[in-house]
Amino acid sequence: MTDLGLMRYFLGMQVEQEPGRIFISREKYAADLLKKFNMSQSKPVSTPFTVNEKLSKNGGEKKIDETVSRNLFGSLVFLYTQDLILIMSLA
């Protein structure tokens, strides 16, 4: 086997190794996700929805691409569940 040196990325996680500790981050995955869905210039908000807005089935708005929204939600679920699994394994 060949020694490839210190690990930097593993399954979408950034890995930083220092003597006596390992730091794992999903920052690059999240940044790539924002870039993929053209949201890298978006600003964070506490409530991502308009409060007290009435919703209707046919609101006259243009339809969204279901494939894109499913990919986005699936990626967010993956990001969230992987963080939960990582936290639970460290506890």
Side-chain angles (χ1 to χ4, degrees):
M1 285 193 103
T2 304
D3 183 6
L4 299 175
L6 294 177
M7 181 179 356
R8 300 207 181 221
Y9 297 99
F10 181 71
L11 296 177
M13 294 182 284
Q14 285 176 268
V15 180
E16 292 181 30
Q17 300 178 42
E18 294 179 6
R21 67 183 212 144
I22 298 174
F23 179 74
I24 299 173
S25 170
R26 304 283 296 189
E27 186 177 346
K28 183 177 181 335
Y29 179 83
D32 289 345
L33 193 62
L34 290 173
K35 197 179 302 180
K36 177 181 177 182
F37 291 101
N38 298 320
M39 298 175 69
S40 56
Q41 299 300 318
S42 299
K43 297 180 180 174
V45 293
S46 59
T47 306
F49 300 101
T50 306
V51 181
N52 298 326
E53 184 174 333
K54 293 185 179 187
L55 302 176
S56 66
K57 186 174 182 180
N58 299 317
E61 299 292 325
K62 67 176 189 175
K63 293 188 175 191
I64 60 169
D65 184 358
E66 290 181 23
T67 305
V68 173
S69 62
R70 286 183 182 149
N71 286 335
L72 174 61
F73 291 130
S75 299
L76 291 173
V77 167
F78 175 76
L79 178 65
Y80 179 73
T81 55
Q82 292 300 310
D83 286 346
L84 281 180
I85 291 169
L86 182 61
I87 290 169
M88 294 172 91
S89 67
L90 296 176

